[in-house]
Amino acid sequence: RRHHLAQVNQVLLFFPLLIMTSRFAQLFARSATRRPAPRGYAYYGRLLAAGALSAPAAFAWCEGRLPGDDGLWHSATAKTRVRQSKETALEVVREVERWQEFIPWCGKSEVVAPGPNGERRFAVEFGIRVGPIFAGDRVIYELEERGNVVHLRSVNAPDLTYADHLEYTVTATEHPEDTEVHVLLKCHARRMAYLQVWKTLQGPLVQGAVACFHSRLAALEDTSVNVIA
């Protein structure tokens, strides 16, 4: 009985998260000339609008199933191009502790104790908190960097609610005029319902994340110009 109650609670807690992500999806689609976002989201509304306007039209998002999986594995890729260098692009990714500054649905991100071999680890809260109730997950990511590739892998599977494996691989390839950024996501959902919800929301969420990424790069560029000036 307790097991079934826990399952019901997980589902009920997931609904506020869906409502919030839908709300952010609406913000992504709004024009900068529309009525400003409600108090508390004004900063993020401006940030996302600027990012959406600065993001190039060439944006691709593909998904697929991993071979031989149990139906709960999911893989997806996203590509975008930026005018900044690959080092600047990867800096935004590797500074996980600062994600909370520019990703609206990231409630908290911080450095935690390193891994057994000194690996860099970060705790990231994704979701929404209403008083003592948190609908989302607190993921511990371990970061590994090799050349132009940054790899993030969850290491606290037993503590996760909606997936027991999350993995991101970000590759930045510099070209003469711009940099191509490629993101590969691999995850394993705990339940098919969670996977279906993610597939429904991933389009707007990924577009919003790309907008945040471009906005952050633009902000870093403006900061460096001001410092030089």
Side-chain angles (χ1 to χ4, degrees):
R1 182 180 179 85
R2 291 182 179 179
H3 176 69
H4 290 306
L5 287 175
Q7 291 180 350
V8 172
N9 287 336
Q10 289 179 7
V11 173
L12 290 177
L13 287 174
F14 201 46
F15 281 114
L17 178 59
L18 299 184
I19 294 171
M20 181 58 72
T21 51
S22 298
R23 175 61 178 158
F24 283 128
Q26 294 172 5
L27 288 176
F28 301 150
R30 283 184 179 177
S31 166
T33 59
R34 297 280 182 87
R35 186 177 59 184
R39 183 176 178 86
Y41 298 106
Y43 168 76
Y44 293 120
R46 292 193 298 270
L47 184 70
L48 294 171
L53 293 174
S54 65
F59 166 74
W61 176 256
C62 304
E63 62 175 284
R65 286 181 57 176
L66 300 175
D69 68 32
D70 58 0
L72 296 176
W73 280 100
H74 181 66
S75 67
T77 60
K79 292 182 180 180
T80 189
R81 303 182 83 94
V82 300
R83 65 176 182 271
Q84 291 81 4
S85 67
K86 67 178 181 181
E87 177 60 30
T88 303
L90 291 177
E91 186 67 17
V92 174
V93 178
R94 74 167 69 96
E95 287 191 341
V96 181
E97 70 274 18
R98 305 195 69 173
W99 286 5
Q100 62 185 344
E101 299 177 12
F102 61 95
I103 301 179
W105 55 91
C106 176
K108 187 177 182 180
S109 55
E110 60 184 351
V111 178
V112 294
N117 296 314
E119 300 90 348
R120 295 178 62 191
R121 288 186 174 182
F122 305 85
V124 181
E125 283 188 6
F126 287 111
I128 176 176
R129 183 179 293 279
V130 180
I133 301 176
F134 176 70
D137 263 329
R138 183 177 188 269
V139 186
I140 306 297
Y141 286 110
E142 188 170 278
L143 185 147
E144 181 183 358
E145 188 170 1
R146 300 185 303 274
N148 64 331
V149 178
V150 173
H151 182 249
L152 291 162
R153 178 178 59 88
S154 61
V155 294
N156 64 325
D159 302 326
L160 302 181
T161 304
Y162 309 109
D164 51 26
H165 181 88
L166 289 168
E167 182 179 351
Y168 295 90
T169 303
V170 182
T171 305
T173 305
E174 200 164 308
H175 299 285
E177 297 183 354
D178 59 14
T179 299
E180 180 180 276
V181 180
H182 177 273
V183 182
L184 170 64
L185 162 68
K186 293 181 181 179
C187 67
H188 186 266
R190 290 198 182 276
R191 300 181 183 281
M192 182 57 68
Y194 297 156
L195 181 58
Q196 293 301 326
V197 169
W198 165 249
K199 287 183 177 181
T200 301
L201 296 174
Q202 71 179 5
L205 288 176
V206 171
Q207 292 179 23
V210 171
C212 290
F213 181 68
H214 281 268
S215 297
R216 181 62 175 175
L217 286 172
L220 291 176
E221 193 172 59
D222 291 343
T223 301
S224 63
V225 170
N226 292 334
V227 170
I228 295 175

